[in-house]
Amino acid sequence: MFDLLIKNARLQQGLMDIGIKDGKIKSLRRNIDTEATVEIDAEGNFVIPPFVDPHFHLDATLSYGQPRVNQSGTLLEGIEIWGELKPTQTIEDFRDRALEFCRWSVARGTLGLRSHVDITDDRLLAVEALLDVRETMKPYMDIQLVAFPQDGFLRSPKSKENLLRALDMGVDVVGGIPHFERTMGEGGNSVRQLCEIAADKCLLVDMHCDESDDPLSRHIESLSAETMRLGMQGRVTGSHLTSMHSMDNYYVSKLMPLMVEAQMHVVANPLINITLQGRHDSYPKRRGMTRVKELFEAGINVAFGHDCVMDPWYSLGSHDMLEVAGMGLHVGQMTGVEQIQSCFDAVTKNGAEIMKLEGYGIEPGNDANLVILDCKSAFDAIRLRPARLKVIRRGKVIAETQKSHPTVILNGETHEVDFVPAGMKV
Ligand code: FE2
């Protein structure tokens, strides 16, 4: 007897039934006829493990317009606004905005989230608030927090002390922002010190790294070298890496093998990179996203993050990771068949690998965390951004969206439109 049986689930390997007991996937095969307390007919729709967003800022999200709107839409005005907003925020403000955002995430089927949290305010109110949010949301989603010295690790006098306090309070991952330190040298120094802290405490590392259009911003090289020096291969992530877009090709041909050797993970943030980078250019205007296609081809694990939703840096978004995948695909010109699949992986399993999420994926023995999409394939998921019909966490439905296809009335005849050509319907 199962607690939940999902019939007619379309997986990568074809139509399957999924038997779930005690929050785990117990059986995965065609035509399961065992009884179940609850049965859901997926009607041949695409069933996937949850979306994962490996790069976000829960402390700033949904603060759009507080204390004012970013009129220019630039990174610099965003930093100014965040500087004005931060001292006015209470623990409750941070917590309420983050919790509201988490409800959006669950509705979108995103049940894995790595969020950076600014530790440069000595009061560490955001840390306290987000640790509480991580706990409150634990039954519904996996949240990981990164201690992020947003104003610089060496540039801001109490960053080191605050970062260590945040880690002691229970923050999971060591962050950094080497390109924002005063000099290239200090950037390198920050990478070394932060990696040593992580190695000492056996923690993962995830740095905002080279988020600029400066081709000589090469902190990813130091991050890879430090990773190897400290034996942290596979446990370090370079986020953004936008300077790689502008780097000299010869230099990149030397850099990529180093990143492979360090088993570096990469997070690109397509929505944010395409809007914030290239702002000093006239025309041609650079795209600023890192070399996603080439990183994939080199065998490096690349995931996509949303980074921001309705905050001082980005006024748009509703935390739809399929919007992120679609933007990444377009900006990276990844319209090949395998590349489209890679973009889907970049918002699902690749992020799970970065976060080291245990029991992720639709396999017997894993947690029964699933999303039923109103479409039939990864290709159509990215193309149509379909409704998340059911979001399931450990065998329980935690979010639902009704299917809604438009009807068109032509010459007195009513047609339902599902945006799938007749020859491709399954
Ligand atoms: Fe970020």
Side-chain angles (χ1 to χ4, degrees):
M1 175 100 174
F2 292 121
D3 299 328
L4 173 65
L5 178 61
I6 302 174
K7 301 286 287 179
N8 304 310
R10 189 173 302 278
L11 307 180
Q12 302 279 11
Q13 63 266 46
L15 279 182
M16 293 279 175
D17 293 348
I18 307 170
I20 294 163
K21 177 96 183 147
D22 299 327
K24 300 271 185 197
I25 298 172
K26 292 288 176 197
S27 183
L28 181 65
R29 59 183 169 81
R30 283 168 210 268
N31 305 320
I32 297 177
D33 51 17
T34 313
E35 266 187 57
T37 313
V38 178
E39 197 173 302
I40 293 172
D41 187 355
E43 297 177 339
N45 283 311
F46 193 38
V47 178
I48 62 164
F51 294 106
V52 176
D53 181 355
H55 189 110
F56 198 72
H57 295 262
L58 277 175
D59 47 7
T61 195
L62 307 194
S63 65
Y64 176 78
Q66 300 175 34
R68 59 190 170 89
V69 171
N70 185 337
Q71 294 293 341
S72 64
T74 58
L75 174 63
L76 288 180
E77 191 175 341
I79 291 171
E80 273 172 35
I81 293 173
W82 180 236
E84 293 166 26
L85 178 65
K86 228 177 357 179
T88 69
Q89 294 287 287
T90 63
I91 291 182
E92 289 70 33
D93 295 331
F94 284 117
R95 192 180 52 211
D96 292 350
R97 284 191 285 100
L99 280 174
E100 182 178 3
F101 176 80
C102 287
R103 293 194 285 273
W104 296 18
S105 304
V106 170
R108 294 295 195 193
T110 304
L111 304 186
L113 182 77
R114 175 180 278 185
S115 172
H116 296 255
V117 50
D118 187 350
I119 52 87
T120 48
D121 185 308
D122 296 341
R123 298 170 300 162
L124 297 184
L125 299 184
V127 172
E128 213 173 304
L130 295 190
L131 285 168
D132 188 35
V133 169
R134 185 184 70 182
E135 220 42 43
T136 305
M137 292 306 297
K138 212 172 204 164
Y140 312 106
M141 58 194 287
D142 297 300
I143 296 177
Q144 230 171 43
L145 298 175
V146 185
F148 178 42
Q150 183 135 17
D151 298 339
F153 181 64
L154 298 173
R155 197 167 161 143
S156 168
K158 290 182 77 182
S159 270
K160 185 171 182 181
E161 188 186 322
N162 291 352
L163 183 126
L164 292 172
R165 271 171 58 214
L167 296 177
D168 283 345
M169 286 164 75
V171 169
D172 311 271
V173 179
V174 176
I177 185 163
H179 57 277
F180 196 66
E181 305 295 348
R182 286 192 183 87
T183 64
M184 285 289 176
E186 289 203 347
N189 192 359
S190 77
V191 168
R192 192 167 56 254
Q193 288 192 37
L194 287 160
C195 285
E196 283 173 356
I197 290 171
D200 191 45
K201 294 179 178 292
C202 291
L203 296 174
L204 303 176
V205 174
D206 188 341
M207 291 196 195
H208 283 66
C209 194
D210 303 323
E211 188 183 3
S212 82
D213 296 314
D214 174 6
L216 297 177
S217 186
R218 296 174 168 186
H219 295 295
I220 181 59
E221 184 184 70
S222 318
L223 187 60
S224 303
E226 285 302 313
T227 299
M228 288 196 291
R229 181 176 73 86
L230 296 163
M232 297 175 73
Q233 288 92 332
R235 296 170 50 206
V236 177
T237 300
S239 282
H240 288 294
L241 308 188
T242 53
S243 74
M244 267 185 94
H245 186 93
S246 301
M247 281 174 185
D248 171 68
N249 287 335
Y250 171 73
Y251 175 71
V252 173
S253 75
K254 179 169 171 280
L255 173 64
M256 285 238 205
L258 180 69
M259 292 171 69
V260 171
E261 227 182 322
Q263 296 166 38
M264 188 65 59
H265 300 279
V266 172
V267 178
N269 296 295
L271 293 167
I272 307 309
N273 301 152
I274 197 69
T275 46
L276 291 184
Q277 302 306 313
R279 289 274 180 152
H280 293 269
D281 295 354
S282 56
Y283 286 94
K285 203 180 273 294
R286 282 169 290 180
R287 295 163 189 225
M289 190 171 81
T290 195
R291 304 187 186 202
V292 173
K293 197 194 296 183
E294 293 74 13
L295 288 162
F296 270 130
E297 282 165 7
I300 291 170
N301 182 45
V302 184
F304 291 154
H306 208 304
D307 202 2
C308 307
V309 169
M310 300 193 77
D311 70 10
W313 297 276
Y314 186 67
S315 52
L316 303 164
S318 66
H319 209 217
D320 187 345
M321 292 307 291
L322 287 171
E323 187 183 358
V324 174
M327 181 59 76
L329 181 153
H330 285 84
V331 176
Q333 300 183 330
M334 291 187 286
T335 44
V337 174
E338 279 182 25
Q339 293 161 354
I340 292 175
Q341 180 62 47
S342 295
C343 289
F344 188 80
D345 294 344
V347 293
T348 49
K349 65 178 187 176
N350 297 1
E353 195 180 331
I354 286 175
M355 289 181 65
K356 313 278 180 215
L357 292 180
E358 284 174 19
Y360 180 89
I362 304 178
E363 297 288 342
N366 282 350
D367 287 342
N369 299 335
L370 313 159
V371 181
I372 304 177
L373 296 174
D374 183 18
C375 72
K376 301 292 192 283
S377 65
F379 173 81
D380 271 352
I382 293 182
R383 187 173 69 86
L384 299 172
R385 282 196 241 155
R388 284 63 167 169
L389 299 172
K390 301 240 187 275
V391 179
I392 294 164
R393 171 79 165 177
R394 294 181 188 143
K396 294 206 163 55
V397 175
I398 58 168
E400 287 178 296
T401 304
Q402 295 303 314
K403 180 189 278 197
S404 106
H405 293 170
T407 47
V408 173
I409 303 143
L410 300 175
N411 292 329
E413 274 185 33
T414 303
H415 304 264
E416 184 183 303
V417 176
D418 64 1
F419 304 100
V420 178
M424 286 180 68
K425 289 194 199 296
V426 289

